[in-house]
Amino acid sequence: MGLTRRDFLERTGLALAVWGAGDMGLSILVNRYRKVLAEPTRRKLALLVGINQYQGVALSGCVTDVELQRELLIYRFGFQPQDILTLTDQQATRAAIATAFISHLTEQAQSGDVVIFHFSGYGGTVATGASLEEMQPSLVPVDGLVGDGESAVSSDLLEETLGLLVRSLQTDKVTTILDTSYTYPGKSLLGNLRIRTRPTTSPIQPDKAELVFQEQLLNKISPRLHLSRSSQSSLPGIHLAATTPSRMATEVRWNGFSAGLFTCALTRHLWQAAPATSLQVIFSRTKTQVEQLAGQEQQPQLSGQKSQEVSLQPYNLPVTTPGVDGVVTEVEDGGKAAQIWLAGLPAPLLEHYGVNSLFTLVEFSSTGENQSPVYLQLTAKEGLTVRAKLYRVDSAPEALEAAPVIKVGQFVQERVRVLPRNIGLTVALDSNLERIERVDAISAFTAIPRVSSAIAGEQSADYLFSKIQTTPSTQVAAATNLSGIMATPTPAQSAYGLFSLGQDAIPNTAGEGGEAVKFAVRRLIPKLQTLLATKLLNLTVNETSSQLAVRMTLERLNPQPQALLRKETWVLSQAAKPGSTPTPAETGGLLSLPIGSRIQYRMENRSDHPLYPVLLGLDSSSNLIALYAPPTQTADHPTAQPALAMDQPDGQTVALMPPVFRSIAPGEVLTLPPTFPSFQWALNGPPGLMETYLICSRAPLTQTQTILETALHSAGNNPAFYPLPNPMEVAQAVLQDLHQASDTAAKVVGTTPDFFALDVTAWASLRFVYQVV
C-alpha cells in the first residue's frame, strides 16, 4: 500500500515545518518526501509482554513498561495501534506468548519490515541436559513457577526458544528488549529497588510442552541457523538487555508509578533523541542513568548481529522529529483540554512537577504565518499522565476562541517549570533493620525538617538507611579466667549509614559499631542537608528543554588533552548534523576517571545575549563545592588573579576562583578553572561519584553570589575551594535567583509564594556525573 502525502507528513511530523520553512526549506522537505515515497513501505510490528501479577511474589512495574513502549512506538516511531499486540498479567502465559509471536510477528513480518519484541517480568534459570547440571536462562510467564515450591517443573519460555523464534522471522530489522534478570541473590530487594529474578534457589526443570515446541521450531529452521542458536550475539538484529546474565535487573518505585529502571531510562532517552542521535549514544545514556541508581549491580547490555554497525538507528527506524517531553494522548472539553503522556521528562522531576506548569503545544499555521505560542497548563497529575487545559498568554475570551483545537498526537515541550518550595528528602529504611530499629529510625527522621522515612520497597525514596556489621574485635575481653579458658571475643556490632537506592555507600556516613539508631540519625543531619541541596540542584537540570544555547565539555588534560563528556542544551543538540563524532563517554556508559586525572570544564555561550554562570558540585566525599567564574581584564579588573589550590583533609584537591560573578558574552568560551602553568585541577580522591552542575541565567545570580561570598569570608578567605558549610541556603538561593529571572512567567502562570516558577527561556542547567576510581 502506498504512502499518501498526508500519511507521510503526519508520521514524520514534517507537517509542522512544511508551511513555515520558506522556499529553500520547503524544497528540501519536498525532496525528502519524494524520496520516502519512492521507497517501499515497511510495516512495523510489535509484541509487548509485561507481567506484574505472578502468583505469590508480584512485581509492580512491568505493565508500565509495556505502556512506556507502546506510547513511544505509536507517537515517536509511527507504529499503527493495531500492529502492536500487548500481553499483560493473566494474558501472558507461555503458550500465549509463543502463539502471539508466531501469529503476530513470524507470519506477518516480511523482509525489510521492522519488528519489536519486549518482555518485562521475572527471569530465571532451568536445568537442562541429561544430568540436569546445565543451566539455561529463561523468561517466566504468568503460569511459570515463582518461589520455592514442591513442583520442580515450570512452564518457562527458554531464551534458546526465544532465539529460535527471532531467527524464524523473515526480517533482520528486529529489536529484542528484555527487562529481566536470571541471577537470584537470595533477596527480593536491592536497597529500594525490586529485583526481577525469580525468587527461588530450588532447581527448576522446563515443561515438556516447551521442549516439544522448541523441537518444532528447530525442524522449521535451517541447520545453518540451528548451529548458532546458543549465542545471543548471533541473534538477528539488535538485542537490548537490562543487565548481563550474572547481574540483576531492577524496577524502581516513583511517586505514582513503578517501572523497570532500564525501560524507563531507555524510553525517556528515545523521546528526547535528536534526529542525528545513534542507538549507541542513546544506549550509553540509558546505561549511565541505570548505573547512577543501581551501581555495578545492574549493567545493561547491547548485542546482536547488527550491534557493531556504525550509527545504528534506534529500533531500526529513523528519528525524524526533534526531541520532545511528551505527547497528547486524549482530547477533552471539545479540544480545549487534554491528557498528556510525559515519558520524556525525568521521573524524579515529574514527581515534583507542580500544578500551573506550562507546556508549549507544537502548533503552526497552515497559511504559513507565524502564530502566537499556544500553551497547555497543567491542572492535575497521576503517574506519567497529566491533565492540562488550553492556555493563552492573551487570556481574553476571543483569544481562547481563536486558539487551535488540541489534537491527539501533538507533541509538547516544557516551557515553565513549577516546583514547590518545601521539597523534602525521603529515606527508605532497609529490610535488614529489625523492627525496633525501624521504629527508632522513623521517630528520629520525623524530627528532622524536610526529611521523612519509608519502608524499603514500598514507596519512592531518595536514599537508603541501612546497617552494616563492623569487623569483630581481635582483642579478647580478658586474657583468661581462673580456669585458664580464653574469654569469648567481642561480638560484631552494627553500624549505620546512608546508601544509594542500589545500596552503594554514601561516603563519610558510616558510624562506629554499637551506636544507637537515634544517635546515628542525628549524626547524619548535616549530610542529609547536603543531599537535599543536591536534589534541589538536580531539579533545575533542563538540558532537554532549555532555550538558551549553551554547551559544556569536560576535558582531561593528562596524559594528553581530550574531550571526555559533552553536554548541550536542546537548541544545540537538535541542530547537530548526522554523523557528528560523539565523545568517548557518549558511547561507553558511566565515565570513570582515575585518581590523579587533571580536568577542566569548557563553557560555550552560543546564545545571542550574555549569561551569568555558576558551577556547583557534589564531590566524591559528598561535600557541596563551588567553582567561581574568574574576572576578565577590564578597567575594573586590570588583572586576572590565578586560581589557587589546596589539598583537603579527605584528599580531594579543590580550587577557588576569585569570587567575582560576571556575565559570559555571546560567543565567548570560558575555561573553568582557567589554565595556568602553576595550577591544574586534579582529582585526588577518594573514590566515588562526582556530580557537577553548570547553572546559567539571563539575569545575575545575586542571592547565590551573596551567599557564596559570605561562605568564603566565614572561612577566613582561605585560598582553597572550601566545602560549602550551608548547602541548603545555596540551593534555595539558586532556585530563587532562577525564579526571579523568570519573573514574567511566574506572574503569567499565577504561582503562589509557595512555589518557584522557572521559564526555560531564562535559564540552562547541565549536569555531569562521573566515577572517580
Side-chain angles (χ1 to χ4, degrees):
M1 179 178 178
L3 187 66
T4 67
R5 182 178 187 275
R6 180 178 180 181
D7 288 340
F8 171 81
L9 295 176
E10 289 181 351
R11 294 183 188 181
T12 62
L14 294 176
L16 306 174
V18 164
W19 305 112
D23 292 340
M24 181 176 296
L26 181 60
S27 175
I28 294 173
L29 294 174
V30 169
N31 288 337
R32 189 184 304 174
Y33 164 65
R34 289 172 176 168
K35 181 179 180 181
V36 172
L37 284 181
E39 297 175 352
T41 302
R42 295 184 297 180
R43 192 172 185 185
K44 291 172 277 192
L45 301 165
L47 173 59
L48 313 177
V49 182
I51 308 168
N52 287 337
Q53 299 305 316
Y54 287 100
Q55 185 176 0
V57 186
L59 295 170
S60 59
C62 300
V63 174
T64 304
D65 289 358
V66 168
E67 295 172 352
L68 285 165
Q69 289 283 14
R70 185 178 186 276
E71 302 302 294
L72 177 80
L73 295 178
I74 292 173
Y75 296 111
R76 189 70 163 135
F77 290 103
F79 278 61
Q80 297 299 312
Q82 63 269 23
D83 288 334
I84 301 175
L85 178 59
T86 64
L87 297 176
T88 58
D89 289 336
Q90 299 306 314
Q91 300 171 330
T93 63
R94 187 202 63 80
I97 296 172
T99 300
F101 197 107
I102 292 174
S103 61
H104 186 65
L105 302 181
T106 305
E107 294 180 355
Q108 293 195 84
Q110 302 299 316
S111 178
D113 288 350
V114 172
V115 170
I116 305 290
F117 175 77
H118 178 104
F119 177 86
S120 285
Y122 279 129
T125 55
V126 296
T128 59
S131 63
L132 299 180
E133 293 181 355
E134 180 183 347
M135 305 301 292
Q136 278 197 38
S138 63
L139 309 180
V140 182
V142 72
D143 55 342
L145 179 65
V146 178
D148 292 314
E150 295 181 359
S151 174
V153 176
S154 179
S155 56
D156 289 12
L157 180 70
L158 300 182
E159 276 206 16
E160 183 175 291
T161 304
L162 177 61
L164 295 173
L165 286 167
V166 172
R167 289 186 184 87
S168 72
L169 296 168
Q170 298 286 328
T171 179
D172 65 349
K173 296 184 180 299
V174 55
T175 303
T176 305
I177 307 112
L178 302 181
D179 199 339
T180 189
S181 55
Y182 317 103
T183 301
Y184 180 57
K187 58 183 180 180
S188 295
L189 290 177
L190 175 66
N192 202 49
L193 308 176
R194 188 162 296 279
I195 299 168
R196 287 185 171 178
T197 305
R198 173 167 45 204
T200 180
T201 56
S202 302
I204 304 293
Q205 296 181 47
D207 185 85
K208 289 183 179 180
E210 167 70 5
L211 299 178
V212 170
F213 176 64
Q214 188 178 106
E215 189 64 28
Q216 292 172 345
L217 285 174
L218 287 173
N219 292 335
K220 294 181 180 180
I221 297 177
S222 69
R224 178 180 60 84
L225 295 178
H226 166 47
L227 290 175
S228 61
R229 71 183 186 276
S230 62
S231 174
Q232 276 192 356
S233 62
S234 65
L235 283 177
I238 301 164
H239 179 72
L240 299 173
T243 192
T244 58
S246 62
R247 296 186 182 272
M248 293 169 276
T250 62
E251 60 180 31
V252 60
R253 188 180 293 274
W254 304 108
N255 187 16
F257 72 98
S258 296
L261 181 55
F262 175 71
T263 300
C264 190
L266 175 65
T267 53
R268 185 218 158 198
H269 289 297
L270 286 168
W271 276 108
Q272 292 291 352
T277 312
S278 68
L279 176 61
Q280 289 94 333
V281 171
I282 293 170
F283 179 78
S284 178
R285 293 171 180 170
T286 301
K287 189 171 186 286
T288 297
Q289 184 175 330
V290 169
E291 290 176 349
Q292 288 175 23
L293 206 59
Q296 296 300 308
E297 296 298 334
Q298 183 167 350
Q299 295 285 305
Q301 191 174 39
L302 169 63
S303 60
Q305 290 179 354
K306 301 182 71 172
S307 62
Q308 301 303 315
E309 293 183 7
V310 178
S311 299
L312 278 174
Q313 292 181 332
Y315 291 2
N316 292 293
L317 291 166
V319 176
T320 57
T321 57
V324 294
D325 295 318
V327 64
V328 174
T329 56
E330 290 188 29
V331 174
E332 302 168 344
D333 191 22
K336 303 302 181 184
Q339 291 188 29
I340 305 174
W341 182 256
L342 283 179
L345 287 179
L349 171 61
L350 188 58
E351 279 193 293
H352 299 286
Y353 229 75
V355 170
N356 292 330
S357 294
L358 281 188
F359 297 92
T360 302
L361 182 67
V362 179
E363 186 70 40
F364 288 79
S365 168
S366 60
T367 63
E369 298 177 356
N370 291 331
Q371 195 170 328
S372 299
V374 180
Y375 302 107
L376 292 175
Q377 187 171 42
L378 190 152
T379 58
K381 181 181 64 176
E382 183 177 357
L384 288 159
T385 301
V386 302
R387 282 182 164 81
K389 64 180 180 181
L390 196 64
Y391 180 90
R392 294 295 294 267
V393 175
D394 181 359
S395 58
E398 58 270 18
L400 286 176
E401 289 298 326
V405 175
I406 305 169
K407 299 176 183 178
V408 170
Q410 286 182 299
F411 294 139
V412 299
Q413 291 178 310
E414 181 183 34
R415 177 55 192 266
V416 177
R417 181 180 301 182
V418 176
L419 298 172
R421 290 178 181 262
N422 63 344
I423 291 172
L425 199 73
T426 301
V427 180
L429 307 180
D430 199 1
S431 56
N432 70 354
L433 298 176
E434 302 292 339
R435 181 179 180 277
I436 186 61
E437 292 174 309
R438 290 198 298 270
V439 171
D440 288 346
I442 291 172
S443 175
F445 281 117
T446 302
I448 305 174
R450 299 177 67 168
V451 177
S452 60
S453 60
I455 303 302
E458 294 187 3
Q459 70 180 68
S460 175
D462 300 294
Y463 293 93
L464 183 77
F465 179 75
S466 186
K467 66 180 177 181
I468 56 175
Q469 296 297 320
T470 59
T471 304
S473 174
T474 57
Q475 304 296 322
V476 293
T480 60
N481 58 21
L482 293 178
S483 302
I485 302 175
M486 295 295 295
T488 304
T490 304
Q493 295 180 315
S494 295
Y496 303 95
L498 292 174
F499 298 78
S500 71
L501 296 185
Q503 275 190 322
D504 285 337
I506 305 299
N508 301 324
T509 64
E512 298 292 334
E515 69 177 335
V517 170
K518 290 187 176 182
F519 177 83
V521 173
R522 287 195 295 269
R523 173 179 55 79
L524 292 169
I525 289 177
K527 190 63 66 177
L528 290 168
Q529 296 299 310
T530 298
L531 296 176
L532 176 54
T534 306
K535 176 180 178 177
L536 296 182
L537 293 177
N538 196 35
L539 292 176
T540 70
V541 175
N542 66 341
E543 174 184 341
T544 58
S545 61
S546 176
Q547 298 303 301
L548 302 183
V550 177
R551 178 181 294 123
M552 189 81 162
T553 305
L554 170 62
E555 301 173 338
R556 182 167 58 191
L557 303 179
N558 63 323
Q560 295 179 350
Q562 181 184 20
L564 296 176
L565 190 59
R566 183 182 300 114
K567 299 280 187 177
E568 57 189 14
T569 53
W570 185 89
V571 291
L572 290 178
S573 65
Q574 304 304 320
K577 297 180 180 180
S580 300
T581 303
T583 62
E586 288 180 298
T587 57
L590 184 62
L591 175 66
S592 293
L593 288 177
I595 291 174
S597 298
R598 299 189 179 277
I599 64 171
Q600 68 181 17
Y601 290 92
R602 187 178 300 274
M603 175 194 165
E604 304 172 50
N605 179 10
R606 299 300 180 187
S607 301
D608 57 2
H609 42 73
L611 297 176
Y612 294 83
V614 64
L615 198 63
L616 301 169
L618 189 73
D619 68 16
S620 56
S621 296
S622 296
N623 296 316
L624 191 67
I625 56 177
L627 273 170
Y628 297 84
T632 54
Q633 296 185 8
T634 64
D636 295 330
H637 302 285
T639 59
Q641 301 177 31
L644 299 170
M646 175 176 166
D647 288 336
Q648 295 298 300
D650 58 18
Q652 174 70 53
T653 297
V654 287
L656 177 67
M657 306 305 160
V660 178
F661 284 66
R662 56 117 173 155
S663 62
I664 309 301
E668 183 178 354
V669 178
L670 175 67
T671 300
L672 294 172
T675 302
F676 293 98
S678 59
F679 171 77
Q680 290 179 334
W681 185 11
L683 299 176
N684 291 340
L689 279 181
M690 183 102 176
E691 301 179 35
T692 308
Y693 297 86
L694 170 70
I695 302 170
C696 299
S697 173
R698 295 185 64 167
L701 299 166
T702 54
Q703 292 194 32
T704 305
Q705 176 183 358
T706 298
I707 290 178
L708 290 178
E709 288 180 338
T710 301
L712 176 65
H713 294 320
S714 67
N717 288 311
N718 188 359
F721 193 162
Y722 193 81
L724 298 173
N726 51 350
M728 276 299 295
E729 290 183 37
V730 174
Q732 293 280 19
V734 168
L735 285 166
Q736 184 61 35
D737 282 334
L738 298 182
H739 175 78
Q740 291 178 345
S742 310
D743 183 58
T744 301
K747 293 177 180 177
V748 168
V749 301
T751 56
T752 69
D754 296 329
F755 292 86
F756 296 109
L758 313 181
D759 189 338
V760 298
T761 65
W763 104 99
S765 182
L766 306 178
R767 177 178 182 245
F768 290 78
V769 181
Y770 54 89
Q771 188 86 28
V772 178
V773 295

